[in-house]
Amino acid sequence: MTVLYATQVLSNSVASSIEAIAGHEKMKMFQTSELIKFIRLMNRFFDCMNGKETSGEEATSERQEEENRAQDEENEKTVHDKAPYTKLDDPRFDFLHNDFLSYFSEWKNDIDSRPGLFSDNEKNRMIISHQSLGALETTVHGVAGAIRFMIAAGAPSVNARVFNQDPLEQRAQGDNRNPSLKTFQDVRLNLHAQGLVASSSQKGNTEVQKRKGIIEIDSSNLPVRKSLRK
């Protein structure tokens, strides 16, 4: 699943929709409470890791704080989670370490202590992949540690968004947030030239153009052209 689709599926709106239909007669056979909890944890994790692109002055101004209080509770929490980090004891650090990561640790412990004989392969299918677990732990510890280091060094605010830019976005514009027309055209031409010589992958999480028919590859000898004798 691409990050774009993950943020759309693992969102508060999806969790609220599932919660709204959980009491329906046809949904009573499904246990949705834990699914809703998982989706909301992931949604808040995305918010904490992808802050709004605002300046430090806007994030710390009294006017912004008053606007945040005027919103409803859910929207206020979302705005706060996306705001730049300004304090070493920001409550979002506590959420990331003690609520978010602990949720997956408890999940894994429940599987390991589950009664019954299950193979390692069966246990692995009861939780998200170990690669994803490792990536989440690395992201939380790395980003949180970097933010705390920068604040302790004197930075007035740190936006978590700067640690999570798409690799393609960095390749296209890097740290330049205001590229000129010439810069954009040069990068676009470069990417276009590389695309002409690159072969399309038939696997992965990107949509590619389907080929007509089936390409069969074998090791048989190529036909030899008959020589013309005079």
Side-chain angles (χ1 to χ4, degrees):
M1 180 182 287
T2 61
V3 175
L4 175 61
Y5 296 148
T7 55
Q8 292 176 353
V9 174
L10 303 175
S11 63
N12 273 336
S13 58
V14 172
S16 299
S17 298
I18 296 175
E19 193 173 37
I21 64 174
H24 193 274
E25 183 177 353
K26 294 184 178 180
M27 293 292 293
K28 290 181 179 179
M29 57 170 32
F30 302 105
Q31 297 292 333
T32 59
S33 58
E34 203 63 33
L35 174 61
I36 294 171
K37 181 179 179 180
F38 170 75
I39 293 176
R40 284 183 170 153
L41 280 172
M42 290 301 303
N43 176 78
R44 191 176 179 193
F45 166 75
F46 288 139
D47 288 344
C48 293
M49 292 290 105
N50 295 279
K52 279 189 174 182
E53 204 162 339
T54 56
S55 64
E57 293 180 359
E58 291 176 343
T60 56
S61 65
E62 293 182 1
R63 180 180 179 182
Q64 182 68 34
E65 292 295 332
E66 291 177 357
E67 292 177 354
N68 292 346
R69 296 191 195 98
Q71 297 176 345
D72 58 78
E73 183 178 353
E74 183 175 346
N75 287 339
E76 185 176 353
K77 182 182 295 185
T78 301
V79 170
H80 172 73
D81 288 339
K82 290 184 178 181
Y85 293 80
T86 58
K87 300 183 294 183
L88 291 173
D89 58 346
D90 192 295
R92 285 172 290 183
F93 293 135
D94 182 69
F95 161 76
L96 291 171
H97 289 287
N98 299 327
D99 294 338
F100 183 72
L101 292 183
S102 295
Y103 174 82
F104 294 99
S105 298
E106 294 173 1
W107 187 357
K108 190 174 185 306
N109 292 335
D110 289 342
I111 294 174
D112 293 336
S113 60
R114 182 176 181 178
L117 298 176
F118 300 98
S119 64
D120 291 339
N121 187 32
E122 289 173 330
K123 289 183 178 180
N124 290 335
R125 286 183 294 180
M126 297 177 188
I127 194 173
I128 63 177
S129 65
H130 68 275
Q131 294 92 340
S132 298
L133 285 173
L136 290 174
E137 291 178 358
T138 301
T139 300
V140 169
H141 292 301
V143 174
I147 291 175
R148 280 173 167 158
F149 174 82
M150 296 179 68
I151 294 176
S157 64
V158 180
N159 195 328
R161 183 183 181 89
V162 300
F163 296 102
N164 299 282
Q165 283 187 321
D166 240 342
L168 180 60
E169 181 182 346
Q170 286 194 346
R171 181 176 179 82
Q173 68 179 35
D175 294 330
N176 183 8
R177 298 181 181 275
N178 296 287
S180 63
L181 178 61
K182 182 179 183 305
T183 302
F184 172 79
Q185 290 176 335
D186 291 342
V187 173
R188 182 177 179 277
L189 180 62
N190 185 21
L191 294 175
H192 178 67
Q194 294 183 29
L196 292 177
V197 298
S199 59
S200 299
S201 172
Q202 298 301 307
K203 295 182 178 181
N205 58 6
T206 57
E207 184 177 356
V208 296
Q209 184 177 4
K210 295 183 178 179
R211 293 173 174 169
K212 296 181 179 180
I214 300 175
I215 299 177
E216 297 182 357
I217 301 176
D218 55 32
S219 58
S220 59
N221 296 327
L222 294 174
V224 179
R225 196 171 84 178
K226 296 181 179 179
S227 59
L228 298 178
R229 296 182 180 179
K230 293 183 180 180

